[in-house]
C-alpha cells in the first residue's frame, strides 16, 4: 500500500470508530427493575429483555431487589438520578413506588409496567403482561376437565380442594383468583368441590410476596387440621413456588403416588417441569418470557422512538389513576401430555435441562 492509501485507510478507520463511539454515546439507556432472583422466571425475564434491548442498540441497566420494597424504591430513585431515558418496572409492591414514579414523570422519563401493573399512578405509559384472569380460567378449566367435575356432579360425587393464591400487593393475584372462581365457584356452591379448611376467599388464601415457605406452612397446617381422615384431591395453587411448598408438605404428610392430589402451578419453571415429568406437580402455566420481553421492547421503542406499540387491551387494566394501554400475551397449560411439544420443541428448554 502506498503512503497515500495508508493514510486514507487510517483516516477511514478513525471516522468509522469515531462514528461507532458517537453512536454508542448517543445510545439511550433503559433502566430495568425486577422483583427477585429467588424465582427462576424473573432471571429469565431480565436476561431476555436485556439481550433484546441491547440487540436494538440500547444501553441496559438491570437491577433485582430480592423482594425488598425499600430496595426497589432506592433502585428506582437511583435510575432517576442517573437520568436514564426509559424505565421498565416489574414491581414488588407498586404501592410504595408511587412517589418515585411521579418524580420520573417530572424528569420526563417514561415508564413501562412489566408483567405486574403499576397501581395508582399516571406516570405509566404502557403495560406488557399475560392475560392474568385468563391464567386463572386456564388453571380452573384444567381442574374441571381433568377431574370431570360435571360427571362428578351428575353422580353425586365430590372432590376435596384447597387454594393457595398470590400476593395481595400484586394486582395479578386478584385477577387470577377471579378467573379461577369464575369457573369453580359453582362447583363449590353445589358441593362437587369441598374445601374442608373453609378457606376459599381471596383474603383467606392469598400469600404475601408469593412465598414458597408460607405456602408450605399453610399446606402443612391445613393437612393436619382438616385431612386426617380424608385425602386432599386438588391443590389449586397460583404459582410454581407454591407447588414446591405444597409438594414438601404432602411428602411430609405421607402422600405417595397412590393418593397424590392434582397440583397446579404457574410459570412452567424448570423445576416445575421436572416435577410434572415425575408426577409431583400436575400442570403449570407456560408464560413465554421471551415473548413478554419482546412486547415490552416494542413499548420502549414506542416511547423513545415515537413508534406505535401493539396493544390488545384498553379496558381491563385500570390502575386507579388511568386505564393503562396493555398488550396481553396468552397463557398455555402444560402437563405431561404436551410439555415436550410446547417447552422442548418450542425451544424454551432443552431436553438436558429437564433431566
Ligand atoms: C406474578 C406473575 C406470576 C408469578 C408470580 C410470582 O406477578 O404473574 O407469573 O411469577 O408473580 O413471581
Amino acid at each position: 500500500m502506498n503512503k497515500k492509501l495508508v493514510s486514507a485507510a487510517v483516516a477511514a478507520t478513525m471516522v468509522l470508530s469515531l462514528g461507532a463511539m458517537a453512536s454508542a454515546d448517543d445510545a439511550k439507556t433503559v433502566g430495568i427493575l425486577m422483583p427477585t432472583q429467588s424465582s427462576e422466571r424473573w432471571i429469565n425475564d431480565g436476561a431476555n429483555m436485556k439481550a433484546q434491548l441491547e440487540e436494538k442498540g440500547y444501553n441496559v441497566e438491570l437491577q433485582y431487589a430480592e423482594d425488598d420494597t425499600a430496595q426497589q424504591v432506592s433502585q428506582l430513585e437511583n435510575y432517576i438520578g442517573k437520568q436514564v431515558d426509559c424505565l421498565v418496572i416489574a414491581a414488588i409492591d407498586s404501592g410504595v413506588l408511587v412517589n418515585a414514579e411521579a418524580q420520573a414523570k417530572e424528569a420526563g422519563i417514561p415508564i413501562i409496567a412489566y408483567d405486574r401493573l403499576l397501581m395508582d399512578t399516571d406516570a405509566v405509559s404502557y403495560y406488557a403482561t399475560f392475560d392474568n384472569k385468563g391464567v386463572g380460567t386456564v388453571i380452573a378449566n384444567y381442574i374441571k376437565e381433568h377431574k370431570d367435575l360435571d360427571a362428578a356432579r351428575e353422580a353425586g360425587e365430590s372432590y376435596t380442594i384447597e387454594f393457595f393464591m398470590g400476593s395481595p400487593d400484586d394486582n395479578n393475584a386478584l385477577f387470577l383468583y377471579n378467573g379461577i372462581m369464575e369457573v369453580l365457584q359453582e362447583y363449590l356452591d353445589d358441593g362437587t368441590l369441598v374445601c374442608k379448611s373453609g378457606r376459599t376467599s381471596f383474603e383467606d388464601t392469598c400469600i404475601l410476596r408469593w412465598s414458597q415457605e408460607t405456602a408450605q406452612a399453610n399446606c402443612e397446617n391445613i393437612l393436619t387440621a382438616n385431612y386426617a381422615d380424608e385425602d386432599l384431591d386438588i391443590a389449586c395453587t397460583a404459582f410454581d413456588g407454591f407447588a414446591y411448598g405444597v409438594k414438601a408438605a404432602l411428602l411430609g404428610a405421607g402422600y405417595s403416588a397412590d393418593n397424590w392430589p392434582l397440583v397446579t402451578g404457574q410459570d412452567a419453571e424448570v423445576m416445575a417441569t421436572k416435577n410434572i415429568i415425575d408426577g409431583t406437580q400436575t400442570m403449570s402455566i407456560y408464560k413465554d418470557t421471551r415473548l413478554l420481553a419482546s412486547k415490552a421492547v416494542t413499548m420502549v421503542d414506542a416511547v423513545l422512538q415515537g413508534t406505535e406499540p401493539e396493544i390488545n387491551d384498553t379496558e381491563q387494566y385500570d390502575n386507579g389513576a388511568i386505564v393503562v394501554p396493555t398488550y396481553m400475551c396468552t397463557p398455555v397449560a402444560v402437563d405431561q401430555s404436551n410439555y415436550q411439544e410446547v417447552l422442548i420443541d418450542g425451544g424454551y428448554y432443552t431436553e438436558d435441562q429437564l433431566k
Side-chain angles (χ1 to χ4, degrees), residues 165-183:
M165 293 293 110
S167 189
D169 54 9
D170 179 349
N171 188 60
N172 290 355
L174 185 59
F175 271 67
L176 191 155
Y177 171 84
N178 287 337
I180 283 180
M181 286 307 168
E182 193 174 282
V183 178

Side-chain angles (χ1 to χ4, degrees), residues 66-119:
E66 307 319 332
D67 275 340
D68 177 339
T69 54
Q71 194 179 338
Q72 193 166 54
V73 172
S74 79
Q75 290 174 341
L76 176 51
E77 288 170 346
N78 184 36
Y79 280 155
I80 297 168
K82 281 181 166 173
Q83 295 180 306
V84 298
D85 297 287
C86 179
L87 290 156
V88 177
I89 304 177
I92 299 162
D93 173 353
S94 70
V96 304
L97 299 176
V98 170
N99 289 340
E101 286 159 349
Q103 286 167 32
K105 189 177 176 192
E106 264 308 283
I109 306 171
I111 301 177
I112 310 299
Y114 188 86
D115 197 77
R116 300 173 172 173
L117 187 57
L118 296 167
M119 305 303 287

Side-chain angles (χ1 to χ4, degrees), residues 35-36 38-42 45 67 90-92 114-117 127 129-130 132 135 166-167 170-173 176 209-211 238-242 266-269 285 287 292:
T36 174
S38 67
S39 147
E40 169 202 311
R41 72 147 294 181
W42 297 113
D45 286 283
D67 275 340
I92 299 162
Y114 188 86
D115 197 77
R116 300 173 172 173
L117 187 57
Y127 177 35
T129 191
F130 277 81
N132 292 297
V135 173
S167 189
D170 179 349
N171 188 60
N172 290 355
L176 191 155
R209 303 278 132 78
W210 301 89
S211 157
F239 172 44
D240 286 344
F242 296 166
Q266 174 180 210
D267 288 346
E269 294 190 332
I285 299 289
K287 298 165 89 172
L292 185 60

